């Protein structure tokens, strides 16, 4: 079996995903064959592998960092929220049903441990190292009994645990200490140490605290990563910026032409795969913002209605906020609108949904000649085609089946005037197609905007992944990290009181 490491966090969004990607890229550059792994992911941002399996986009991004093809083994359980209390359960890349949080944690989650451990073992038999990402915090003691993604998988694999803390939020020392002290003695034995993320300033001022933390816990800090602007890496479960803020933290490059192009993205409920607009934000002179008010569409040159896990709910939200009327006015005025996946569906004439919302027959916005029927079987595909005279590829994740009855063909959807719709996610990452599409948008908007002739989204993504690898290589003790991956948790790590009572026994391979 290969070595490995579990990257846990003091909180959600502490930086687990990017640290995992950074470690994968660092190891890959050293010539180590490495695979990412997340036993259970909760996210509306997902991706379709070449074998037609749906996994979290964060794991697909980490696989790219490791320069390997993503597979369902890397994310065997994906939970896609459909509301505050229920999620669609995707097992080994295929949906197996809806389940409440109580039902999932009440028994189903533990039953999935066999599958999760089996996937990890298969990866360990193939790669030199497996870098696992945890979820939330390992100190969620109310969920420890059924945990299969944090200390549960670490115990099963006997992997050392590196706890990441976001110092930009404040309270990082208390978070490190408290996270460790809330774990049982058996779990604490695997917590090897800590990694500080998003530090601003002089590291020497932090060192006395790191020394005190070592004295209090007997565990060292393996690195202090500086705050880094401009990381447009795929998010797991939330927007990096607040609503109405610029997308990601991207630096807006000056336009090639005389004008900028303003893109407004409707922040619909249960928004999924909002990463579709990252490729637009990467273009010099394109400014992308998420909006939730009708007046914010007035000066937009392009409005994007993105994917959503709740098409009917998003449709109702658009109407309640006056955005539906604003979209209709744009269509009548010949001003560009692009609907992607669920956003494409709401632009149609009619929706028949007995699957997702169970709302039955619902009228759409009527901006495209499309009728949508929700099927129980989910479409998962990696289509390749042509649009606007340029090659395009993307991926599909949807229950809605669209019947297009008119308009001009556009990918798998259609175009009427300046209203465009498609189920294809990721199409804007095709550089030549994106440039042609933006040229069309600029013409319709009356903007003297010219797409940059040499923007390569794939190259930009690789540069960002290399930047993550640089952060690990330059600011972490990589010799010590490699020793953890190869040798496992250090012996003799002290117990930190009070410690949680022992959890129910965690099954290992021998006990399965």
């Amino acid at each position: 079996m290969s070595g490995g490491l579990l990257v846990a966090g003091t909180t959600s969004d502490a930086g687990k995903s990017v640290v995992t990607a950074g470690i994968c890229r660092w190891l890959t550059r050293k010539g180590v064959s490495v695979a990412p792994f997340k036993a259970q992911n909760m996210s509306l941002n997902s991706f379709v592998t070449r074998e037609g399996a749906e996994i979290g986009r964060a794991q697909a991004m980490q696989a790219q960092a490791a320069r390997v093809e993503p597979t369902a083994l890397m994310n065997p359980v994906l939970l896609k929220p459909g509301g505050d209390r229920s999620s669609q359960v995707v097992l080994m890349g295929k949906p197996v049903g809806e389940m409440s949080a109580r039902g999932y944690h009440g028994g189903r989650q533990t039953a999935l441990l066999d599958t999760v451990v089996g996937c990890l073992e298969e990866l360990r038999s193939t790669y030199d190292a497996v870098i696992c990402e945890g979820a939330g915090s390992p100190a969620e003691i109310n969920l420890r009994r059924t945990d299969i993604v944090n200390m549960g998988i670490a115990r099963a694999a006997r992997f050392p645990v590196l706890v990441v803390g976001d110092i930009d939020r404040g309270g990082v020392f208390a978070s490190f200490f408290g996270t460790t002290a809330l774990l049982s003695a058996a779990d604490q034995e695997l917590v090897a140490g800590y990694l500080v993320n998003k530090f601003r300033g002089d590291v020497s001022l932090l060192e006395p605290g790191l020394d005190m933390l070592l004295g209090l816990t007997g565990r060292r800090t393996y690195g202090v990563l500086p705050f880094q602007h401009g990381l447009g890496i795929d998010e797991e479960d939330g927007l990096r910026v607040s609503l109405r803020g610029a997308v990601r933290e991207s630096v807006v490059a000056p336009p090639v032409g005389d004008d900028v192009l303003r893109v407004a993205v409707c922040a619909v409920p249960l928004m999924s795969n909002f990463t579709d607009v990252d490729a637009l934000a990467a273009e010099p002179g394109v400014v992308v913002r998420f909006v939730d008010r009708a007046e914010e569409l007035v000066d937009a040159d392009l409005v994007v209605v993105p994917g959503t896990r709740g098409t009917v709910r998003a449709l109702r939200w658009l109407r309640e906020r006056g955005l539906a009327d604003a979209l209709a006015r744009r269509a009548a005025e010949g001003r560009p609108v692009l609907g992607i996946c669920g956003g494409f569906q709401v632009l149609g004439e009619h929706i028949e949904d007995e699957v997702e919302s169970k709302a039955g027959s619902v009228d759409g916005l009527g901006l495209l000649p499309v009728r949508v029927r929700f099927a129980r079987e989910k479409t998962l595909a990696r289509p390749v085609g042509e649009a606007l005279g340029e090659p395009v590829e993307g991926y599909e994740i949807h229950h809605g089946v669209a019947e297009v009855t008119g308009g001009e063909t556009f990918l798998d959807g259609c175009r009427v005037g300046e209203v465009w719709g498609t189920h294809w996610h990721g199409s804007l990452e095709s550089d030549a197609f994106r440039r042609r599409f933006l040229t069309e948008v600029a013409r319709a908007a009356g903007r003297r905007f010219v797409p940059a002739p040499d923007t390569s989204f794939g190259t930009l993504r690789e540069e960002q992944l290399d930047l993550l690898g640089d952060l690990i290589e330059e600011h972490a003790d990589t010799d010590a990290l490699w020793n953890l991956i190869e040798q496992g948790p250090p012996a003799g790590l002290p117990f930190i009181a009070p410690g949680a009572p022992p959890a129910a026994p965690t099954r290992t391979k021998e006990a399965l």
Side-chain angles (χ1 to χ4, degrees):
M1 284 292 184
S2 68
L5 177 72
L6 175 72
V7 179
T10 56
T11 62
S12 294
D13 202 31
K16 298 183 293 292
S17 295
V18 294
V19 168
T20 299
I23 293 175
C24 285
R25 178 50 61 99
W26 158 62
L27 289 173
T28 298
R29 294 195 304 209
K30 284 174 57 69
V32 177
S33 73
V34 59
F37 177 78
K38 185 160 186 173
Q40 170 197 298
N41 197 346
M42 177 173 280
S43 178
L44 287 172
N45 283 335
S46 57
F47 181 77
V48 179
T49 67
R50 295 206 178 276
E51 72 266 28
E54 184 180 8
I55 66 172
R57 272 198 70 97
Q59 280 60 67
M61 175 268 293
Q62 291 159 0
Q64 185 177 351
R67 297 196 175 109
V68 296
E69 190 68 33
T71 73
L73 293 172
M74 298 172 183
N75 181 206
V77 181
L78 174 64
L79 305 178
K80 302 195 71 175
D84 293 336
R85 297 187 179 183
S86 67
S87 295
Q88 182 181 66
V89 181
V90 179
L91 179 62
M92 294 304 296
K94 304 296 180 183
V96 294
E98 297 279 335
M99 187 167 289
S100 68
R102 179 178 292 275
Y104 183 70
H105 289 286
R108 180 63 186 270
Q109 186 178 34
T110 304
L112 294 174
L113 183 60
D114 292 13
T115 299
V116 165
V117 171
C119 289
L120 179 56
E121 289 176 347
E122 187 168 343
L123 290 174
R124 293 183 71 185
S125 69
T126 306
Y127 295 91
D128 297 332
V130 179
I131 307 301
C132 304
E133 179 188 344
S137 165
E140 292 166 352
I141 53 179
N142 56 312
L143 303 177
R144 176 61 185 91
R145 183 180 60 84
T146 57
D147 170 47
I148 63 171
V149 64
N150 288 307
M151 301 312 299
I153 196 67
R155 289 269 292 274
R158 298 304 300 173
F159 274 0
V161 177
L162 182 69
V163 181
V164 178
D166 179 357
I167 198 170
D168 200 47
R169 297 184 176 194
V172 74
F173 294 117
S175 298
F176 283 145
F177 183 89
T179 296
T180 308
L182 281 175
L183 300 178
S184 68
D187 285 347
Q188 287 191 27
E189 289 177 0
L190 301 178
V191 177
Y194 313 109
L195 186 76
V196 176
N197 191 29
K198 298 184 184 177
F199 180 73
R200 306 171 191 251
D202 187 345
V203 176
S204 66
L205 298 177
L206 190 67
E207 289 171 351
L210 301 180
D211 292 339
M212 292 178 66
L213 185 66
L214 173 62
L216 288 167
T217 67
R219 291 159 174 86
R220 58 165 299 181
T221 299
Y222 285 79
V224 178
L225 306 186
F227 190 96
Q228 180 67 57
H229 289 281
L231 289 178
I233 299 298
D234 295 348
E235 294 287 342
E236 177 179 289
D237 55 7
L239 292 176
R240 173 161 298 168
V241 295
S242 61
L243 196 60
R244 293 188 296 277
V247 63
R248 309 294 190 196
E249 297 162 352
S250 52
V251 177
V252 179
V256 174
D258 295 329
D259 288 341
V260 299
L261 209 62
R262 297 172 177 85
V263 179
V265 184
C266 297
V268 296
L270 298 175
M271 182 165 45
S272 61
N273 287 66
F274 53 79
T275 49
D276 281 332
V277 299
D278 281 0
L280 296 179
E283 283 284 347
V286 175
V287 182
V288 180
R289 300 177 68 84
F290 290 94
V291 303
D292 64 348
R293 299 189 302 222
E295 57 267 29
E296 294 177 296
L297 304 190
V298 174
D299 66 346
D301 302 307
L302 169 66
V303 174
V304 177
V305 187
T308 172
R309 174 82 165 83
T311 299
V312 171
R313 179 176 169 181
L315 183 58
R316 183 169 61 248
W317 181 87
L318 290 167
R319 286 178 167 139
E320 290 171 350
R321 289 178 170 263
L323 289 160
D325 290 338
L327 289 169
R329 286 194 296 272
R330 288 187 67 89
E333 295 166 359
R335 303 178 66 200
V337 176
L338 171 64
I340 302 174
C341 200
F344 166 43
Q345 295 167 8
V346 304
L347 297 179
E349 298 170 341
H350 187 76
I351 297 171
E352 195 70 33
D353 181 12
E354 299 291 349
V355 176
E356 188 177 78
S357 68
K358 298 180 173 59
S361 182
V362 179
D363 287 334
L365 298 185
L367 305 184
L368 289 175
V370 176
R371 300 179 69 85
V372 177
R373 175 185 57 82
F374 273 71
R376 296 198 177 277
E377 184 175 348
K378 182 184 284 190
T379 296
L380 297 169
R382 288 280 293 270
V384 177
E386 183 179 295
L388 302 179
E390 301 292 349
V392 192
E393 59 182 273
Y395 56 100
E396 295 183 63
I397 307 170
H398 53 92
H399 283 279
V401 178
E403 179 189 1
V404 179
T405 60
E408 178 184 341
T409 299
F410 175 64
L411 300 174
D412 71 324
C414 64
R415 171 189 183 183
V416 173
E418 297 304 327
V419 180
W420 315 62
T422 177
H423 276 129
W424 289 24
H425 294 289
S427 63
L428 294 168
E429 295 179 18
S430 297
D431 297 325
F433 163 71
R434 181 181 65 253
R435 287 191 278 270
R436 286 293 300 274
F437 176 71
L438 289 177
T439 299
E440 287 277 309
V441 168
R443 176 196 54 76
R447 295 287 185 188
R448 291 176 298 174
F449 169 84
V450 178
D454 55 355
T455 301
S456 167
F457 185 75
T459 298
L460 292 173
R461 175 53 55 87
E462 278 296 304
E463 290 174 354
Q464 290 176 326
L465 293 173
D466 275 332
L467 180 57
L468 292 181
D470 293 342
L471 287 174
I472 296 298
E473 192 164 342
E474 296 170 9
H475 300 282
D477 186 337
T478 52
D479 288 340
L481 281 179
W482 179 244
N483 188 63
L484 279 182
I485 292 168
E486 273 200 312
Q487 304 299 326
L493 292 169
F495 171 73
I496 309 301
T506 301
R507 293 176 293 172
T508 61
K509 179 182 178 182
E510 291 74 19
L512 292 177

